[in-house]
Amino acid sequence: MTDTVRWGIAGPGSIAARMAEALADLDGAELVAVGSRAHHRAAAFAAAHAVPRVYGSYDALLADDDVDVVYVATPHSSHHDLTVAALEAGRHVVCEKPFALSAAEAASMAETARRTGRFCMEAMWTWFLPTVVELRRSLAEGVVGDVRALRADFGIDVPGETGRHRSPVLGGGALLDVGVYPIALARLLLGPPSAVRALGRLGPTGVDDTVAGVLAHDSGALALFHAGIDARTTQTAEVTGTDGTITVESPFWAPTAFTVDRRDGSGDRVTLPHRGLAHEAAHANDRIRSGHTESDVIPLATSVALMGTLDEIRAQIGVRFPGETQAP
Ligand SMILES: NC(=O)c1ccc[n+]([C@@H]2O[C@H](COP(=O)([O-])OP(=O)(O)OC[C@H]3O[C@@H](n4cnc5c(N)ncnc54)[C@H](OP(=O)(O)O)[C@@H]3O)[C@@H](O)[C@H]2O)c1
């Protein structure tokens, strides 16, 4: 068991600010450095979050031997290269979702982590939230009988065409940005999918504005998902079993409550507050302190497989990123 785990943040953007807040309240963790492509942006972030060391390049951050773990909080297209470089530099890594652009990239990141013996985890924060942990436990206990179907939607309204959300170069599109949440929820609650069918509507930049589809799971359960960056949806989820339905209140990707309605007329409402990214940060911190190289909640093989599902959907809806000469 090492003492305090020293964190460095790569990419001082909006999610990085939330991670800085989470780390500030976490025992056994200390945010010691931040890196940006521009020194002044790292400096502004450091001033806002009391971070002692500031770097004007990602390479300089990764070279800091007094950083134990790097939180990769940059656009999707840079997750692979930054994670691999950080691992090769001897750092542990917690990398934002989606873990990579493709399963091939994710497999390369996993291979590098295993070879270097460093901890590496996808920052799928939803899986660590108390309401989601309790939802998973309740379903496993059979609170609504055998699960037959799940439905979840995650639509946001992103104006304009110039930001990272619609940039093919940065790995944009509804699927990788928000679609990963309902698809990951289905995997968490129903297990790995055995088949997927999807349709999408691509926008003028060539990435998906909307994507919807269905996943088939070995248990026989089907999961319907819908994601978009062109219209806000209810952001709810329902899980239907042979004895009733659970409704996960909005936003299902960061819920504080779910309701259980059973066919026999009985029901419950379970409410559990959460502390944002603190739950995943505490998990990663504990795993690193206890010498593990992977999460037991979202192991690397799960992140690679999740990217494989996203690859299959991208192939079906016709989204290719620059440099991809064939469907993923
Ligand atoms: N877990 C969650 O709830 C959640 C929520 C939102 C986003 N995310 C994920 O977190 C990652 C970052 O999202 P965000 O919303 O925080 O993005 P953001 O606000 O745009 O910040 C991204 C940061 O990445 C850096 N960056 C490096 N290369 C870049 C490039 N080529 N173009 C633009 N920025 C670049 C930028 O810092 P410099 O330019 O200063 O280097 C910027 O501060 C994405 O993978 C996203 O999917 C997760």
Side-chain angles (χ1 to χ4, degrees), residues 7-41:
W7 290 66
I9 287 181
S14 52
I15 197 66
R18 289 170 52 200
M19 181 56 91
E21 289 158 14
L23 292 173
D25 290 336
L26 190 61
D27 287 341
E30 193 183 353
L31 177 54
V32 297
V34 57
S36 159
R37 295 173 299 171
H39 192 277
H40 71 273
R41 287 198 292 273

Side-chain angles (χ1 to χ4, degrees), residues 10-239:
S14 52
I15 197 66
R18 289 170 52 200
M19 181 56 91
E21 289 158 14
L23 292 173
D25 290 336
L26 190 61
D27 287 341
E30 193 183 353
L31 177 54
V32 297
V34 57
S36 159
R37 295 173 299 171
H39 192 277
H40 71 273
R41 287 198 292 273
F45 187 94
H49 299 283
V51 189
R53 295 199 293 284
V54 174
Y55 295 108
S57 77
Y58 294 127
D59 285 347
L61 171 72
L62 304 190
D64 183 340
D65 285 330
D66 292 322
V67 168
D68 299 311
V69 53
V70 171
Y71 171 58
V72 174
T74 55
H76 314 156
S77 53
S78 52
H79 288 183
H80 171 270
D81 288 2
L82 258 177
T83 294
V84 166
L87 293 166
E88 296 284 8
R91 312 290 154 244
H92 305 296
V93 173
V94 173
C95 177
E96 260 307 333
K97 48 56 57 176
F99 195 48
L101 290 184
S102 65
E105 281 195 357
S108 159
M109 294 152 76
E111 185 281 319
T112 309
R114 291 186 187 114
R115 179 168 45 74
T116 57
R118 301 286 87 189
F119 176 85
C120 186
M121 181 185 103
E122 177 180 356
M124 178 43 75
W125 67 304
T126 300
W127 287 22
F128 298 91
L129 299 174
T131 300
V132 174
V133 172
E134 178 57 20
L135 170 65
R136 188 185 186 191
R137 197 196 60 74
S138 298
L139 288 170
E141 247 182 18
V143 71
V144 288
D146 293 334
V147 175
R148 309 318 297 155
L150 180 152
R151 188 212 60 79
D153 63 88
F154 194 164
I156 56 176
D157 191 6
V158 182
E161 287 178 15
T162 54
R164 74 167 178 81
H165 291 89
R166 288 196 170 82
S167 165
V169 174
L170 298 182
L175 178 67
L176 264 62
D177 205 77
V178 284
V180 64
Y181 284 99
I183 292 163
L185 185 75
R187 174 174 286 269
L188 180 75
L189 301 180
L190 309 179
S194 49
V196 59
R197 299 282 185 277
L199 292 168
R201 186 178 60 250
L202 309 194
T205 62
V207 299
D208 49 310
D209 267 342
T210 302
V211 60
V214 57
L215 299 152
H217 296 262
D218 286 342
S219 63
L222 298 178
L224 290 149
F225 62 88
H226 165 217
I229 52 174
D230 55 358
R232 188 178 169 83
T233 65
T234 61
Q235 302 182 5
T236 52
E238 295 97 39
V239 188

